[in-house]
Amino acid sequence: MTAAERAVQESEVTGATVWLTGLPSAGKTTIAYELAGLLRTANRRVEVLDGDEIREFLSAGLGFSREDRHTNVQRIGFVAELLARNGVLALVPVIAPFADSREAVRKRHQRGGTPYLEVHVATPVEVCSVRDVKGLYAKQAAGELSGLTGVDDPYEEPESPDLRIESQDQTVPESAAALLALLTERGLA
């Protein structure tokens, strides 16, 4: 196959944004990287837009006010849609605590005709606080941190996500497999 033929074939690949929302330490990023590995072995173009990395590089200087959180989510949504409309599966493990912010991202994708899936990693706060991957729950409990999503700051659960994963009831590979099954069903894998 020539380079030109390969380019045409790759341009026919449908990209999509898969937004994994949930509380801190719910398992969003772990599931996203597991799924990315599966997709890459199938020679699928995929990028993980990790919320922590985005905050460090793209949204540096933003705080955690409602307005700053909205701005952060919109920036990530823009990059995800840009990647997705160019044939990349953009996996976005980002809390995005407010429904209106997530809806704005969904609408951006709809306007561009770009597939968008919302996945709620619905791990209960009690389980997240035990996992406490970054020590946020411990800091909040010790009074060293305020504004922790789902504890003393709001988290608006998706009402109708495309998929709900209860990570406390299944392994990471099982969670990634459920998400891969959804992508396959929608013709996006």
Side-chain angles (χ1 to χ4, degrees), residues 27-88:
K28 303 175 299 296
T29 303
T30 304
I31 293 167
Y33 278 109
E34 180 79 14
L35 177 60
L38 294 173
L39 292 165
R40 285 185 181 116
T41 50
N43 293 319
R44 193 67 165 87
R45 292 172 30 194
V46 61
E47 288 295 332
V48 177
L49 299 179
D50 183 295
D52 293 333
E53 291 176 358
I54 296 291
R55 272 214 174 260
E56 182 180 350
F57 298 107
L58 185 63
S59 294
L62 289 179
F64 291 91
S65 68
R66 184 180 177 104
E67 182 179 317
D68 281 357
R69 287 176 189 247
H70 179 77
T71 298
N72 184 50
V73 168
Q74 297 317 297
R75 287 177 183 177
I76 297 168
F78 171 79
V79 173
E81 200 274 334
L82 183 66
L83 287 168
R85 81 172 117 112
N86 284 286
V88 176

Side-chain angles (χ1 to χ4, degrees), residues 13-36:
V13 174
T14 301
T17 293
V18 179
W19 199 289
L20 294 92
T21 179
L23 297 174
S25 297
K28 303 175 299 296
T29 303
T30 304
I31 293 167
Y33 278 109
E34 180 79 14
L35 177 60

Side-chain angles (χ1 to χ4, degrees), residues 70-121:
H70 179 77
T71 298
N72 184 50
V73 168
Q74 297 317 297
R75 287 177 183 177
I76 297 168
F78 171 79
V79 173
E81 200 274 334
L82 183 66
L83 287 168
R85 81 172 117 112
N86 284 286
V88 176
L89 275 173
L91 307 180
V92 186
V94 174
I95 295 169
F98 300 109
D100 61 340
S101 295
R102 294 189 307 264
E103 185 58 25
V105 171
R106 179 186 294 278
K107 286 181 179 175
R108 169 188 295 282
H109 282 71
Q110 287 172 339
R111 283 191 303 272
T114 307
Y116 175 89
L117 300 174
E118 184 176 69
V119 177
H120 182 205
V121 182

Side-chain angles (χ1 to χ4, degrees), residues 2 7 10 21 24 50 63 83 87 107 123 129 134 141 149 161 171 174:
T2 69
E10 286 177 6
T21 179
D50 183 295
L83 287 168
K107 286 181 179 175
T123 310
S129 67
K134 299 173 197 159
T149 303
T171 66
E174 288 169 339

